[in-house]
Amino acid sequence: MDRPKGRIDRLITLSFAKSLQISFQSLRVRFFRSMITVSSLVLAVSFLAFVLVNLDVASGLLAHGGSDAAAALSAAGYDVDMEGGGVSMAAKERWIVFLSLLVCTVGIVNAQLMSVTERFSEIGVMKCLGALDSMILRLFLLEAAMQGLAGSLAGALLGSLFSLLAGAVRFGLVAWTDVSWLGVLGSVGLSTLAGCLLSLLGVLYPALMAAHMEPIKAIRAEH
């Protein structure tokens, strides 16, 4: 079928593998900028994992140590529920975790906004060549997902390791023998998932802004 005169097709599509390759290459080119996001994720997620694994260690001690363990945990600053047999983080720790994750999200948004600003011309050229809004959005989300996975996994592993070491120092090696390793694995997974979600949430607004930019305005913005 003949194409009507005056019509310009904008149908550039990329496979997922090609989009992943482009996103990875972009991260390599902007390595130090990417490290800002990754570093903030490592710090926030490591603290979250530290707190969660601490609770796993404390729960294991309480389950095997009875009233003596409960007294030791209470003295160490844990909120111990003897009736329910559970341990929870103190209100102060909850606020610290919340604030650290909030600061991390703000840092990601700021870093991604700077990244979008630096790439105005690149985005404009891609859109002039026919890149759809969804393709631009996908590239930014893939970059954020890779950064989130790397930073979150590293942070979760570091936080868990330090938490287990701290438990051994405070309560002895019994902290390792009584802990539920399945629970520790779950805490690592939860921390990693939280970090990835934070990374995607932080990039959402900058990615939408980049995807909806007018091509000519984007190219002129850097000149």
Side-chain angles (χ1 to χ4, degrees), residues 10 12-13 17-18 29 34-35 45 54 56 65 85 99-100 133 153 158 166 168 185-186 194 206 208 221:
R10 301 176 69 245
I12 291 183
T13 58
K18 188 63 176 178
V29 171
S34 302
M35 288 305 297
V45 174
N54 250 338
D56 292 328
L99 289 176
S100 66
D133 293 351
L153 188 57
L158 285 174
L185 185 61
L208 288 172

Side-chain angles (χ1 to χ4, degrees), residues 36-49:
I36 297 176
T37 301
V38 173
S39 299
S40 62
L41 278 171
V42 169
L43 292 175
V45 174
S46 62
F47 182 69
L48 176 61

Side-chain angles (χ1 to χ4, degrees), residues 45-59 61 78 93 155-172 175-176 179 181 183-184 187-188 191:
V45 174
S46 62
F47 182 69
L48 176 61
F50 182 88
V51 172
L52 292 178
V53 175
N54 250 338
L55 293 178
D56 292 328
V57 171
S59 297
L61 290 171
Y78 292 92
E93 286 186 329
L157 293 176
L158 285 174
S160 301
L161 178 61
F162 282 122
S163 183
L164 291 171
L165 290 175
V169 170
R170 297 172 73 181
F171 304 108
W176 291 6
V179 70
W181 291 102
V184 171
S187 296
V188 171
S191 301

Side-chain angles (χ1 to χ4, degrees), residues 68-215:
D68 292 337
L73 291 171
S74 297
Y78 292 92
D79 289 341
V80 181
D81 181 9
M82 289 300 298
E83 295 182 358
V87 181
S88 61
M89 69 177 75
K92 181 180 178 180
E93 286 186 329
R94 287 195 291 267
W95 274 108
I96 294 175
V97 169
F98 173 76
L99 289 176
S100 66
L101 296 179
L102 179 61
V103 170
C104 175
T105 304
V106 172
I108 292 172
V109 172
N110 183 57
Q112 294 296 343
L113 282 173
M114 294 175 67
S115 176
V116 170
T117 302
E118 291 176 349
R119 298 162 68 178
F120 275 162
S121 181
E122 175 187 338
I123 295 169
V125 170
M126 291 175 65
K127 300 195 78 171
C128 285
L129 292 175
L132 299 174
D133 293 351
S134 58
M135 192 184 90
I136 302 295
L137 182 62
R138 184 202 299 177
L139 293 177
F140 275 93
L141 290 178
L142 283 175
E143 290 180 22
M146 286 187 282
Q147 291 173 326
L149 183 60
S152 300
L153 188 57
L157 293 176
L158 285 174
S160 301
L161 178 61
F162 282 122
S163 183
L164 291 171
L165 290 175
V169 170
R170 297 172 73 181
F171 304 108
L173 292 180
V174 68
W176 291 6
T177 58
D178 291 347
V179 70
S180 169
W181 291 102
L182 186 60
V184 171
L185 185 61
S187 296
V188 171
L190 180 61
S191 301
T192 303
L193 178 61
C196 290
L197 290 177
L198 280 180
S199 181
L200 292 174
L201 180 64
V203 80
L204 190 58
Y205 170 71
L208 288 172
M209 185 181 74
H212 291 92
M213 290 180 66
E214 292 293 333

